[in-house]
């Protein structure tokens, strides 16, 4: 066996989000979020469940921190539930909501675990949705007010901040495809939402810096490394469109390049934007969005292979196809393709030059249950993580400034429109008893962290 080592200050961690694990949905003054409303709307979540209880982390956070510590976790990425802090989105602060995150942060620091706080991981206060939600500019203003409250409360101890998790999901998945809350299907609103999410990021960064001296601030994107299915010009154009829709639409403005002109042209042609262009953009917005950040967070799960023929029910987009029948697939139906992580990190380094990169999420859904001895032999997840760690290491060899890696997820949790049917955790959760069992992948990850490297044959 040989050890493929990582740099000595490389940060190994794990990630979760508020609605997916906290539960306590109506406790201590928490307001309603769009996910409370959406998940209780019949037909929206596959197994008819919701996050009312989830992993009951709100009550069990001490036990969860102790478990993280026993696994040697160096960093923990979690999100703050906006409706716990400002139950109606703006105005009156709920001190009990802040208390919870104060206790969580203190507990993590006592355990020697560095907190990475995500301000928005999808639980918008329903009251703001009732006023129009992300398609309205006022929601970006409200986000900045919320950010200031949280950064002032935690900024003395939290020094790593992520404004948004996955703007593509917040805007397009939720407002164009309708698969996530608030469940709208309107491309124009989705594009407006994407702009206001990015704008709120740009406005929030200096607010965080002012309240949390010395803070490192970034944003997390879910990126979709893509390739054309063939060398034909038509397939190449399908790839271009997909890359623009998922990746460049967010990366380009964040790195000072305006929204991509080819995508604006595509959207005007398809009637998603008026002929005058992207009119929600006001003077000064692009400068705000291009604010200097300390890092880019990357969530990577799978690649996309594009063919030019259109999906009939999704007339807006080219078809994604499965190129490699020999590939392994996770239970989400996602192809296991570690080399695309290498390519993605390398591309980000070369094309955009972020100061630092973190893999803020990477992981796999496999539902391997505990065996008769109570052990969870999730070999597929272990192999998945090993191969992705090694792919990331190769990107670092090629110059990508990767500073840390957060496995998604610390524990099984509420997987949005799939409910509890999909399990991404390295820790098994028995939802009836709330018992936690570290899976084999978690025990293996503990060894990786200890050795600061991956053993290979
Ligand atoms: O569970 C989600 C997470 O909330 C955001 N990124 C993708 C994960 C798996 O689908």
């Amino acid at each position: 066996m040989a050890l493929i080592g990582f740099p000595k200050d490389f940060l190994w961690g794990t990630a979760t989000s508020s609605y997916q694990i906290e539960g306590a949905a109506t406790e201590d003054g928490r307001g309603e979020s769009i996910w409370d409303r959406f998940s209780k709307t019949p037909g929206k979540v596959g197994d008819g469940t919701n996050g009312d209880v989830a992993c009951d982390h709100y009550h069990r956070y001490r036990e969860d921190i102790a478990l993280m510590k026993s696994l040697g976790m160096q960093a923990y990425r979690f999100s703050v539930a906006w409706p716990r802090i400002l139950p109606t989105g703006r105005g009156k602060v709920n001190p009990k909501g802040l208390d919870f995150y104060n206790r969580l942060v203190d507990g993590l620091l006592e355990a020697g675990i560095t907190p990475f706080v995500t301000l928005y991981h999808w639980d918008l206060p329903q009251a703001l949705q009732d006023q129009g939600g992300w398609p309205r500019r006022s929601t970006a203003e409200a986000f900045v007010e919320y950010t200031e409250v949280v950064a002032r409360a935690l900024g003395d101890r939290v020094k790593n901040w992520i404004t948004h998790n996955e703007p593509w999901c917040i805007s397009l998945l939720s407002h164009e495809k309708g698969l996530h809350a608030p469940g709208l299907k309107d491309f124009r609103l989705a594009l407006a939402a994407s702009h206001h999410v990015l704008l709120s990021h740009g406005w929030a960064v200096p607010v965080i810096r002012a309240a949390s001296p010395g803070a490192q601030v970034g944003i997390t994107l879910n990126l979709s490394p893509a390739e054309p299915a063939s060398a034909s010009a038509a397939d190449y154009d399908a790839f271009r469109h997909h890359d623009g829709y998922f990746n460049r639409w967010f990366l380009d403005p964040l790195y000072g390049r305006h929204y991509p002109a080819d995508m604006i042209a595509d959207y005007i042609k398809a009637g998603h934007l008026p002929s005058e262009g992207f009119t929600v953009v006001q003077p000064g917005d692009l400068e705000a969005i291009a604010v200097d950040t300390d890092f880019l967070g990357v969530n990577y799960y799978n690649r996309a292979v594009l063919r030019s023929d259109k999906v009939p029910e999704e007339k807006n987009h080219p078809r994604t196809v499965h190129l490699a029948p020999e590939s392994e697939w996770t239970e989400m139906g996602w192809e296991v393709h570690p080399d695309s992580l290498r390519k993605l990190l390398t591309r980000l380094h070369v094309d955009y030059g972020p100061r630092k990169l973190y893999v803020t999420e990477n992981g796999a859904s496999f539902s391997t249950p505990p065996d008769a001895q109570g052990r969870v032999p999730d070999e597929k997840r272990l192999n998945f993580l090993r191969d992705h760690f090694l792919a990331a290491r190769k990107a670092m060899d090629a110059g990508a400034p990767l500073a840390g890696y957060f496995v998604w997820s610390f524990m099984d949790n509420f997987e949005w429109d799939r409910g509890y049917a999909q399990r991404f955790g390295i820790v098994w959760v028995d939802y009836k008893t709330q018992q936690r069992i570290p899976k084999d992948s978690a025990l293996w990850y503990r060894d990786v962290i200890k050795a600061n490297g991956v053993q290979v044959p």
Side-chain angles (χ1 to χ4, degrees):
M1 292 290 253
L3 183 77
I4 307 292
F6 282 69
K8 78 171 180 341
D9 50 357
F10 195 80
L11 210 52
W12 296 102
T14 183
T16 62
S17 85
S18 45
Y19 190 71
Q20 293 181 275
I21 65 163
E22 285 179 1
T26 53
E27 217 162 308
D28 289 341
R30 177 185 177 280
E32 188 189 14
S33 82
I34 54 173
W35 269 95
D36 296 303
R37 182 73 64 93
F38 185 76
S39 60
K40 289 172 190 172
T41 308
K44 299 298 183 193
V45 173
D47 62 1
T49 56
N50 58 58
D52 277 1
V53 178
C55 308
D56 195 31
H57 173 75
Y58 191 77
H59 299 114
R60 294 168 194 263
Y61 69 95
R62 285 194 192 83
E63 178 196 325
D64 290 333
I65 293 171
L67 183 52
M68 277 184 233
K69 186 177 176 184
S70 76
L71 294 171
M73 242 25 106
Q74 297 169 341
Y76 175 49
R77 172 178 176 241
F78 64 92
S79 76
V80 172
W82 186 343
R84 280 198 199 284
I85 310 300
L86 293 150
T88 54
R90 296 182 103 148
K92 203 165 166 337
V93 175
N94 173 32
K96 287 192 173 163
L98 284 175
D99 286 350
F100 170 67
Y101 296 105
N102 268 312
R103 294 195 300 274
L104 179 62
V105 165
D106 288 344
L108 289 165
L109 292 173
E110 269 164 39
I113 300 169
T114 303
F116 274 60
V117 170
T118 305
L119 284 155
Y120 188 74
H121 198 129
W122 308 353
D123 34 10
L124 186 74
Q126 180 64 41
L128 293 181
Q129 185 59 41
D130 295 343
Q131 292 157 39
W134 286 111
R136 284 200 57 200
R137 201 171 170 94
S138 56
T139 301
E141 291 159 6
F143 176 76
V144 180
E145 293 163 17
Y146 154 67
T147 294
E148 183 160 22
V149 172
V150 179
R152 282 201 178 170
L154 306 180
D156 55 336
R157 288 151 294 148
V158 171
K159 294 297 173 190
N160 293 280
W161 295 88
I162 294 165
T163 52
H164 285 287
N165 181 69
E166 303 184 350
W168 179 85
C169 293
I170 303 168
S171 50
L172 290 140
L173 185 64
S174 310
H175 295 77
E176 177 216 345
K177 296 182 187 292
L179 292 174
H180 278 191
L184 303 181
K185 289 188 180 171
D186 182 319
F187 214 126
R188 282 192 185 208
L189 290 184
L191 291 174
S194 71
H195 179 62
H196 295 138
V197 169
L198 290 178
L199 184 60
S200 72
H201 156 81
W203 284 342
V205 170
V207 170
I208 298 169
R209 291 216 169 102
S212 180
Q216 299 273 296
V217 191
I219 186 169
T220 279
L221 303 181
N222 56 312
L223 295 169
S224 176
E227 51 200 273
S230 79
S232 76
D235 284 355
Y236 184 84
D237 195 56
F239 150 75
R240 174 201 60 77
H241 179 89
H242 177 93
D243 185 49
Y245 169 73
F246 267 99
N247 304 323
R248 290 182 290 115
W249 188 255
F250 300 94
L251 285 163
D252 281 11
L254 286 168
Y255 286 90
R257 299 183 192 170
H258 203 305
Y259 290 97
D262 62 316
M263 295 309 295
I264 303 245
D266 281 7
Y267 292 151
I268 292 174
K269 198 168 155 206
H272 306 320
L273 288 179
S275 54
E276 304 81 54
F278 201 13
T279 48
V280 296
V281 180
Q282 295 190 10
D285 286 3
L286 290 164
E287 291 73 11
I289 292 171
V291 64
D292 194 22
T293 48
D294 300 289
F295 64 85
L296 174 67
V298 176
N299 292 355
Y300 169 71
Y301 288 92
N302 60 351
R303 70 166 171 171
V305 180
L306 282 306
R307 223 168 55 191
S308 56
D309 49 329
K310 300 274 191 286
V311 185
E313 66 281 11
E314 266 193 53
K315 57 184 183 330
N316 299 319
H317 300 296
R319 185 186 288 277
T320 54
V321 291
H322 299 158
L323 199 58
E326 72 283 6
S327 282
E328 194 185 351
W329 305 84
T330 71
E331 289 176 23
M332 290 291 278
W334 295 348
E335 184 186 12
V336 177
H337 205 266
D339 196 50
S340 288
L341 175 60
R342 178 190 64 76
K343 284 194 198 144
L344 172 62
L345 296 173
T346 312
R347 175 209 183 171
L348 292 170
H349 166 58
V350 171
D351 285 0
Y352 295 97
R355 289 179 196 286
K356 252 194 307 195
L357 288 162
Y358 287 103
V359 172
T360 39
E361 284 182 29
N362 173 241
S365 171
F366 291 114
S367 57
T368 326
D371 64 16
Q373 286 70 45
R375 193 187 127 203
V376 185
D378 63 333
E379 198 188 345
K380 286 185 181 170
R381 179 176 294 98
L382 189 160
N383 292 338
F384 178 101
L385 292 174
R386 184 199 53 227
D387 294 347
H388 284 78
F389 292 173
L390 292 172
R393 187 72 189 82
K394 282 190 192 153
M396 294 167 79
D397 289 339
L402 186 68
Y405 207 111
F406 293 80
V407 169
W408 185 268
S409 177
F410 170 56
M411 56 187 159
D412 296 332
N413 56 46
F414 178 74
E415 178 53 30
W416 307 113
D417 54 321
R418 311 291 189 99
Y420 296 98
Q422 298 286 334
R423 290 179 177 266
F424 276 88
I426 54 172
V427 169
W428 174 269
V429 176
D430 178 331
Y431 293 112
K432 286 206 184 80
T433 62
Q434 292 294 349
Q435 190 196 358
R436 277 71 159 137
I437 306 174
K439 304 179 187 179
D440 280 3
S441 58
L443 304 176
W444 169 85
Y445 190 31
R446 179 188 60 192
D447 295 342
V448 169
I449 298 171
K450 200 164 173 205
N452 194 28
V454 179
Q455 295 283 357
V456 291

